């Protein structure tokens, strides 16, 4: 989805995209918590920033691939065929090196509701939060 920098951020913060998740997508700032990373990853999917998804995925994730061109194509195909309607944070367990975010993502593909609830696990390595995996609830 093409998004104006002055549009509301897809993460649900009610801030303009340019003042919210775009600062992470453009490498101006790193997320300071797993919660910020979660929200910025949702926004990255919504605005087709596959480079950011790849960069913020832990190598232990089942989707992680050294073949980044193929991985990028898969992400972009998913993004182009999906409407990212809403992100709701249901729970956040914050710790110094491992954190969990439970969220509901409201998504549609061809008007079909493919929404889900996930408890995501994040690890902090070299002062950077990364998405490791998630459990569908």
């Amino acid at each position: 989805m093409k998004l104006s920098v002055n549009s509301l951020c897809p993460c649900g913060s009610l801030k303009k995209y340019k003042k919210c998740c775009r600062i992470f997508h453009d490498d101006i700032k790193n997320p300071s918590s797993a919660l910020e990373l979660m929200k910025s990853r949702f926004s990255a999917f919504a605005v087709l920033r596959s480079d950011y998804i790849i960069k913020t995925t832990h190598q232990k994730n089942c989707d992680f691939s050294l073949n980044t061109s193929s991985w990028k194509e898969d992400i972009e195909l998913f993004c182009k065929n999906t409407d990212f309607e809403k992100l709701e944070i249901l729970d956040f367990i914050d710790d110094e090196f491992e954190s969990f975010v439970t969220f509901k993502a409201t998504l549609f593909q061809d008007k079909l509701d493919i929404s889900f609830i996930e408890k995501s696990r994040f690890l902090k390595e070299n002062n950077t939060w990364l998405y490791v995996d998630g459990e569908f609830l």
Side-chain angles (χ1 to χ4, degrees):
M1 146 175 130
K2 197 74 172 156
L3 184 76
S4 162
V5 294
N6 289 312
S7 296
L8 289 179
C9 191
C11 79
S13 67
L14 301 179
K15 297 179 188 175
K16 291 182 179 181
Y17 173 62
K18 69 181 178 185
K19 299 277 186 181
C20 194
C21 290
R22 184 178 181 203
I23 62 174
F24 304 122
H25 299 164
D26 289 348
D27 282 330
I28 295 167
K29 182 181 175 189
N30 283 329
S32 61
S33 69
L35 182 59
E36 272 189 343
L37 179 60
M38 172 62 238
K39 290 179 171 187
S40 65
R41 282 176 58 90
F42 180 86
S43 292
F45 278 109
V47 300
L48 205 88
R49 294 295 299 261
S50 56
D51 55 331
Y52 185 77
I53 298 301
I54 290 169
K55 175 186 156 194
T56 59
T57 301
H58 195 281
Q59 63 187 7
K60 290 183 181 176
N61 181 281
C62 65
D63 292 328
F64 185 87
S65 174
L66 294 176
N67 182 352
T68 54
S69 60
S70 175
W71 187 12
K72 186 175 180 140
E73 283 178 25
D74 290 345
I75 294 167
E76 291 178 0
L77 183 63
F78 174 73
C79 293
K80 288 175 184 173
N81 291 311
T82 306
D83 292 321
F84 297 82
E85 296 289 323
K86 186 177 182 183
L87 174 67
E88 297 171 74
I89 304 301
L90 305 176
D91 193 24
F92 176 43
I93 301 168
D94 192 22
D95 203 355
E96 191 175 353
F97 296 107
E98 181 180 41
S99 293
F100 298 87
V101 180
T102 303
F103 66 94
K104 179 179 181 185
T106 303
L107 311 176
F108 291 88
Q109 288 181 339
D110 293 325
K111 298 181 183 175
L112 178 67
D113 187 344
I114 61 162
S115 302
F116 61 91
I117 295 174
E118 177 180 315
K119 181 177 183 178
S120 294
R121 182 168 66 108
F122 299 86
L123 292 177
K124 189 175 189 180
E125 294 182 353
N126 301 317
N127 213 29
T128 301
W129 283 104
L130 298 168
Y131 170 70
V132 181
D133 53 28
E135 173 188 357
F136 291 112
L137 304 175

